[in-house]
Amino acid sequence: MDKKRKISIIGSTGSIGTQALEVIDKLQDKFEIIALAGGHNEKLLSEQAAKFNPKYTVLGEAGLERICNDKENDIILVACSGKIGLRPTLKAIENGIDIALANKETLVMAGDIVMKKAKEHNVNIVPVDSEHCAIHQCIKDISQVDKLIITASGGPFLHKSLEEMKNASVKEALAHPRWHMGKKITVDSATLMNKGLEIIEAHHLFGFDYDKIEVVVHPQSIVHSAIEYVDGSVIAQLGLPSMHIPIQYAITYPDRFEGIKSKSFSFAEIAHLDFEKPDFEKFPTVKLAYHAGKTGGTATACLNAANEEAVFAFLDGKIKLYEIYEITQKIYDTHKVIQNPTIDEIFEVDKEIREQTKEYIAKIH
Ligand code: MG
């Protein structure tokens, strides 16, 4: 980066957004902040504005369009959660602005449209999610890569019985052993739906068929993911579990800086790494995500919407943990998939599925 990179952050008050600002704080001579957008936390947003001095701030969804139309941006970090990330990301891509992407829904709901547009406008989409960031770092020549290997920590129920998992409380589901994240993604990590969504993201980001994307459980979260080349060579990316590293990689790509580097990596201290096959009987969400991904069209938007509503119902204490999967599967099975949908059709499906899911939950409880 020979000159300051002009950056905006959508979702600056969330988990990824606040960590991104910690990174930028360490690399102040590398960045100029154009805009910060927060969801609801007005107090934190104004504290951030006072400290980082952006050109402007935006609260809520309404102002996002302004940011994405602001061609002064070299890069926008899309760090909000939920479907509100999708339209602004598309707008920014149309304006030729590079994207550091932390928002899962963008690719899960509309991966085909987003990646096609990015190609048309010659826009880089650099993933922030630690697994995809790892794969991005491993790939030198994508045409020689045979397989992607995505690691999963397995969440808090990895070695608990199915019975214990079925009756888990919200508190137990939120007690993730390795990563501190927002509530929605933490519950998704407990059911492994997070891994399911990541398979779909990986398919779109790297253009691999679903049968060339493998999941392996790795409880220590040191190997963040790997790729296998056609000759059987495996390249993995390792590091201590910290979201600062993938965030920093994504916003400074292709350069690297010391930045927020905490402590040096020691193989000897880690001593051993474990891997195991995922238990699809206990975590059927992964199978469901493969099915939705292979089906394509609106299947993945349906999966995402039904799952998210079910997760909210779980967090509200309305349903049990395992019911998130059961309800999602039930709603998913009734969905009539639209192939090659438009963005409007995707949002229409999202809305309908959310309503159906809420109605269904109200009916059974
Ligand atoms: Mg991840």
Side-chain angles (χ1 to χ4, degrees):
M1 286 159 67
D2 31 344
K3 62 180 179 53
K4 276 192 175 187
R5 192 168 279 181
K6 292 178 178 175
I7 188 169
S8 289
I9 302 176
I10 293 179
S12 68
T13 56
S15 167
I16 297 288
T18 49
Q19 292 180 81
L21 286 172
E22 286 161 17
V23 169
I24 291 172
D25 195 32
K26 291 271 182 195
L27 298 171
Q28 285 182 30
D29 56 330
K30 308 287 177 205
F31 290 98
E32 179 184 340
I33 300 181
I34 303 296
L36 296 177
H40 316 283
N41 195 340
E42 199 171 351
K43 185 169 170 276
L44 180 55
L45 185 65
S46 58
E47 283 167 15
Q48 290 178 341
K51 181 163 181 191
F52 291 94
N53 208 15
K55 285 198 164 172
Y56 53 94
T57 61
V58 156
L59 194 68
E61 202 177 341
L64 298 183
E65 179 130 358
R66 176 179 173 197
I67 298 177
C68 297
N69 276 326
D70 190 338
K71 292 187 184 174
E72 207 183 339
N73 284 300
D74 295 315
I75 186 168
I76 297 179
L77 170 62
V78 183
C80 58
S81 73
K83 63 183 167 183
I84 64 162
L86 177 52
R87 280 194 206 273
T89 305
L90 280 171
K91 188 51 81 188
I93 292 170
E94 283 165 12
N95 285 314
I97 301 165
D98 285 338
I99 303 289
L101 187 63
N103 174 270
K104 283 206 158 70
E105 287 76 5
T106 299
L107 293 177
V108 171
M109 289 175 73
D112 289 331
I113 297 174
V114 171
M115 295 312 290
K116 190 168 164 242
K117 241 184 197 157
K119 212 173 166 190
E120 273 167 28
H121 294 271
N122 204 15
V123 158
N124 264 330
I125 296 183
V126 185
V128 171
D129 208 343
S130 60
E131 294 78 1
H132 306 86
C133 179
I135 291 169
H136 193 269
Q137 292 180 64
C138 293
I139 291 175
K140 215 165 90 187
D141 178 354
I142 200 163
S143 70
Q144 295 177 338
V145 178
D146 181 53
K147 193 170 83 178
L148 310 181
I149 304 160
I150 298 181
T151 53
S153 72
F157 304 109
L158 178 61
H159 295 128
K160 297 265 165 71
S161 70
L162 182 57
E163 240 8 77
E164 282 173 287
M165 184 183 157
K166 281 190 172 173
N167 295 309
S169 65
V170 171
K171 202 174 152 212
E172 286 167 317
L174 289 179
H176 197 280
R178 299 282 163 207
W179 297 97
H180 297 284
M181 309 171 286
K183 278 185 185 176
K184 155 71 169 54
I185 184 172
T186 304
V187 174
D188 281 345
S189 298
T191 63
L192 249 64
M193 180 58 94
N194 183 51
K195 215 43 58 181
L197 300 177
E198 288 179 356
I199 292 162
I200 298 166
E201 282 184 282
H203 162 80
H204 290 296
L205 276 167
F206 305 109
F208 277 70
D209 285 346
Y210 285 95
D211 50 11
K212 292 285 183 186
I213 306 173
E214 199 177 285
V215 174
V216 64
V217 172
H218 166 47
Q220 292 97 345
S221 297
I222 297 292
V223 176
H224 297 308
S225 279
I227 60 174
E228 185 178 326
Y229 280 96
V230 288
D231 61 0
S233 254
V234 174
I235 311 281
Q237 187 261 333
L238 284 73
L240 299 172
S242 154
M243 277 314 292
H244 287 118
I245 309 296
I247 293 168
Q248 182 171 304
Y249 173 85
I251 63 175
T252 62
Y253 176 80
D255 293 328
R256 288 182 189 265
F257 300 99
E258 195 173 311
I260 211 152
K261 179 183 169 189
S262 48
K263 153 179 178 216
S264 206
F265 187 85
S266 162
F267 276 101
E269 253 176 58
I270 290 163
H272 67 267
L273 299 170
D274 299 307
F275 301 93
E276 57 187 273
K277 275 190 178 168
D279 179 348
F280 289 142
E281 300 311 312
K282 201 162 116 191
F283 300 109
T285 48
V286 184
K287 258 191 187 164
L288 179 56
Y290 270 113
H291 189 277
K294 286 180 184 173
T295 304
T298 53
T300 53
C302 163
L303 173 79
N304 176 66
N307 173 66
E308 187 165 321
E309 287 305 324
V311 170
F312 291 156
F314 170 71
L315 287 170
D316 277 351
K318 289 180 189 153
I319 63 170
K320 293 194 168 170
L321 184 73
Y322 201 76
E323 283 181 285
I324 297 173
Y325 157 68
E326 290 169 335
I327 291 164
T328 304
Q329 178 83 60
K330 188 103 193 159
I331 300 291
Y332 176 81
D333 288 341
T334 65
H335 176 57
K336 288 200 176 53
V337 175
I338 306 167
Q339 289 296 345
N340 303 309
T342 63
I343 279 290
D344 288 339
E345 282 171 327
I346 290 170
F347 276 104
E348 194 54 39
V349 164
D350 178 83
K351 192 170 160 244
E352 276 169 23
I353 293 295
R354 283 172 196 276
E355 279 162 15
Q356 275 177 37
T357 311
K358 279 190 262 193
E359 273 168 33
Y360 181 74
I361 291 168
K363 203 172 78 191
I364 59 168
H365 284 278

